[in-house]
Structures are given as structure tokens and as C-alpha cells.
Amino acid sequence: VDDFVEAGSTIIRLRDTEQRARLDQAEAGLREAQARFNEARAEFERVQGIFERQLISRSEMDRATAGLEAARARLESARAARDGALEQLDHTQVRAPYAGIVTRRHVEVGESVSPGQPLLSGISLEFLRVTTEVPQRFINPVRRYQSARILLEDQPPVTVSRLTFFPYADPVTAAFRVRAELPDRTPGLFPGMFVKVAFTVGERETLLVPASAVVQRSEVSAVYVVDDQGRISLRQVRTGRTEGDGQVAILAGLSEGEQVALDPVAAGVALKTRQREAAR
């Protein structure tokens, strides 16, 4: 437990005495079938040469041909038996399907196991997914847009690569389970963590400005607007919600295409300087 394993490395080895005995038997049968086939092929070539000189009958040629085909079929059967024995032997080793960390051992050395029985549990730090529940009233728009983001603290949102929707609702909560596949090697996330998932349920056009451009004066929100002549003015605006990428929605007081000063401090200094010059 807590060991790191590489993908494809052997993590469980079962006793393989019986499987190795079957493999030895199959390989011996394959050698015998190969020898019989070589013998039948040599006999066929010998009889064929005599038949071409018309020294033997057609029936003897047919018997040689049938013997060669039977030997070839036995050889193919022996090869299939050898391949099956190899596969059975390979099943005695359980390999890690992905690189990760062992979290639990379900069996100990010496125990008997059967197909379908849990042997080891592990987690992958490369391929992560988030499981959440969506209320019934939102599941249709979530299915329609199939867009989601993982909201993290002190980190930009992570765009989900794929969503999987469970085809039934919980009979108690009437919520649908949704699984979000994260991009490979998403930094800052580990199995067992709690995160917030934001689903797209609709679309609308909103005027956005950087949050750093908004000035708060008591309960009044404002931005410094720069006109085409470079004149600066402070204008009150009504703000909406703040988006995850540091943008603030402007509901009133600003029109599309107007220029906003990104540095309110510098804009305020420039505005006061211009007002003093105008007052002289």
C-alpha cells in the first residue's frame, strides 16, 4: 500500500505450476506435429515426383495429398493449443493498467482467488474525473450544451474534456449523476478532493470589463472612460456578476466599443492633472 507502480508492471503473480505444465505439454505436442508435418511433406514431394513420371496411380497421389493436409491441420491445432497455453500462463500475472499508487490490498500471499475477485485497489494521478449530481430541472440544458468547468481556489478554471451522463435519476433526490473527464495531468487536483463544477445551462451576450478597471467609491461602482480625443471621465456603472476569468459584467452605464482605462490609479491622476490645468 502507498507504493507507486508503473503502467504494465506486474503487481500480482499467481501460482502457475499447472499452467506451465500445460504449456510444456502443448509445446511438446507442437514439436511432434511439426515433425509429422515435415514427414508428410517429404512423402508428398516424393510421391508427387513419381506421379509426374506416371509410375504410380492417382489413388496413391491422393493418399499422399490427404496425408499432407491432415498433418498441416494437426500442426495448426498444435499451434493453437500452444497459444492458448501461453495465454493461460499470462493470466497468472496481473499487470497495472495505469501508472498510479496502490491504495488497498484485498488479498494476502497464500490466499486462493477466483475470476472477478478484487485483488488490489489503486488511484491514478494522471487520469482524473469528477463525479457530481445535477438536479432534474437543469439536466436537459446541461445535456444540450455539454460544457462544464472545474472551479478551483487560486487557480484558473479547468475546462472539462468530456461529460458522461448516467441514464437514470436518484429516486430519493431526483438528481442525475454526471461524470466529468479532466484533461490528462491536470495540476493541483488529487483523488478524493472536493471541487465545484460549473455547467453551461444557457447563453447570453454580456458587456464585460476587467475587474481591475472598476473603481469602488463607497457603494458606487465606476470606470474611467477614455473618448476618441483622449479625454478621461469617471462614469458610474451598474455591475453584475464576476466571471471566473476576472471579468465583471456591466449592466448599465457603458456601451459596447467605448474605451475603458485599465489602470484606474493612473487614469485618476491624469484626470486630476487635467482638471487643475483647466482651472488655471
Side-chain angles (χ1 to χ4, degrees), residues 160-180:
V160 174
S161 58
R162 188 179 65 198
L163 296 177
T164 300
F165 297 91
F166 285 62
Y168 54 87
D170 187 292
V172 178
T173 63
F176 287 81
R177 184 177 299 180
V178 180
R179 189 169 60 212

Side-chain angles (χ1 to χ4, degrees), residues 13 31 69 88 95 238:
R13 192 185 302 274
R31 290 193 297 269
E69 294 300 323
Q88 291 298 322
R95 295 178 175 84
R238 183 159 61 93

Side-chain angles (χ1 to χ4, degrees), residues 150-230:
I150 307 300
L151 307 182
L152 307 174
E153 295 182 1
D154 303 327
Q155 292 188 39
V158 178
T159 302
V160 174
S161 58
R162 188 179 65 198
L163 296 177
T164 300
F165 297 91
F166 285 62
Y168 54 87
D170 187 292
V172 178
T173 63
F176 287 81
R177 184 177 299 180
V178 180
R179 189 169 60 212
E181 305 290 340
L182 296 177
D184 297 349
R185 294 179 172 85
T186 302
L189 290 180
F190 299 92
M193 292 179 60
F194 286 93
V195 296
K196 292 183 179 180
V197 185
F199 292 99
T200 300
V201 295
E203 294 179 341
R204 65 180 180 183
E205 289 188 355
T206 305
L207 185 62
L208 300 175
V209 299
S212 59
V214 179
V215 179
Q216 293 294 140
R217 300 286 178 82
S218 184
E219 295 184 359
V220 176
S221 300
V223 295
Y224 286 96
V225 180
V226 184
D227 61 15
D228 296 337
Q229 287 74 37

Side-chain angles (χ1 to χ4, degrees), residues 38-110:
N38 294 338
E39 180 183 5
R41 183 171 55 185
E43 178 65 14
F44 172 80
E45 294 173 352
R46 185 185 67 83
V47 172
Q48 187 179 33
I50 299 175
F51 178 75
E52 290 175 352
R53 296 195 300 269
Q54 298 182 354
L55 299 178
I56 59 175
S57 62
R58 165 62 69 174
S59 61
E60 294 186 22
M61 184 63 200
D62 292 342
R63 281 196 296 270
T65 302
L68 179 61
E69 294 300 323
R72 180 180 287 110
R74 287 192 293 268
L75 178 60
E76 293 176 355
S77 177
R79 287 173 178 170
R82 191 271 312 272
D83 293 342
L86 282 173
E87 184 175 357
Q88 291 298 322
L89 179 62
D90 187 67
H91 287 171
T92 62
Q93 296 186 32
V94 180
R95 295 178 175 84
Y98 51 80
I101 299 174
V102 178
T103 58
R104 184 181 177 187
R105 289 180 56 165
H106 300 278
V107 294
E108 298 297 333
V109 177

